[in-house]
Amino acid sequence: MSKAFTKESSGDDDDDELALPALPAGGKNYLTPEGYTRLREELMTLLDVERPKIVEVVSWAAKNGDRSENGDYLYGKKRLREIDRRIRFLTKRLDIAEVADPSIHHGSDQVFFGATVTYENSRGEERTITIKGIDEVDNLHGEVSWISPIARALLKARVGDEVSLMTPGGMERIEVVDVHYPAPPNS
């Protein structure tokens, strides 16, 4: 078969990056109210501030003649594609988002979405994580996705419960030491 008319992708316009992280079958895209607000603000900033600025730069650069060697034009077009890709991603994720307020569980000792959980492993090492939505986790701040193995092991456990966690080193037993939720907004 001749490859003369096949399209070779430059990678710039692919929507492969737009592939959404997998949710469990029948699962939802849970977000905390703060996570939803943060993603919504990012979307609005891209639409109302960033994109119009780049469109203006690209428009100005296009008027300057030879586009093939015009750095402002080439960079602007590339940045515009990146912004449009992020806008599409955020729009799709916010459309399927289900906001779950963890503060409704304030005072509970059972682990649900949004909980900050302290657990101890068999070596006596304690670790604290917060269970959040796929699109809002920040691993550097001890946040894990609700579909991560550690979160799945901990969900529905109570303080004092021991649960099994499959790790690369094998099965490990961990004990729930503390469960904390944010206080309701009107407290």
Side-chain angles (χ1 to χ4, degrees), residues 95-145:
D95 283 348
I96 63 170
E98 183 155 326
V99 178
D101 188 359
S103 68
I104 62 172
H105 298 293
H106 182 70
S108 173
D109 70 340
Q110 191 170 13
V111 180
F112 295 108
F113 178 82
T116 297
V117 183
T118 302
Y119 64 90
E120 184 177 300
N121 64 17
S122 56
R123 296 176 299 283
E125 302 166 336
E126 280 193 4
R127 185 158 179 231
T128 302
I129 60 168
T130 301
I131 301 171
K132 292 199 170 183
I134 295 170
D135 298 326
E136 62 181 323
V137 297
D138 183 352
N139 294 334
L140 297 177
H141 290 98
E143 298 172 352
V144 298
S145 164

Side-chain angles (χ1 to χ4, degrees), residues 34-52 79 82-91 93-94 135-136:
E34 297 80 23
Y36 183 85
T37 301
R38 194 174 72 241
L39 291 178
R40 180 97 175 113
E41 285 173 359
E42 180 185 353
L43 177 62
M44 292 294 97
T45 300
L46 289 172
L47 287 170
D48 297 339
V49 179
E50 289 230 15
R51 193 173 195 290
R79 179 68 184 130
E82 292 167 357
I83 289 171
D84 288 344
R85 188 176 300 120
R86 184 68 180 165
I87 288 171
R88 283 191 310 272
F89 175 81
L90 289 171
T91 302
R93 291 313 279 230
L94 290 170
D135 298 326
E136 62 181 323

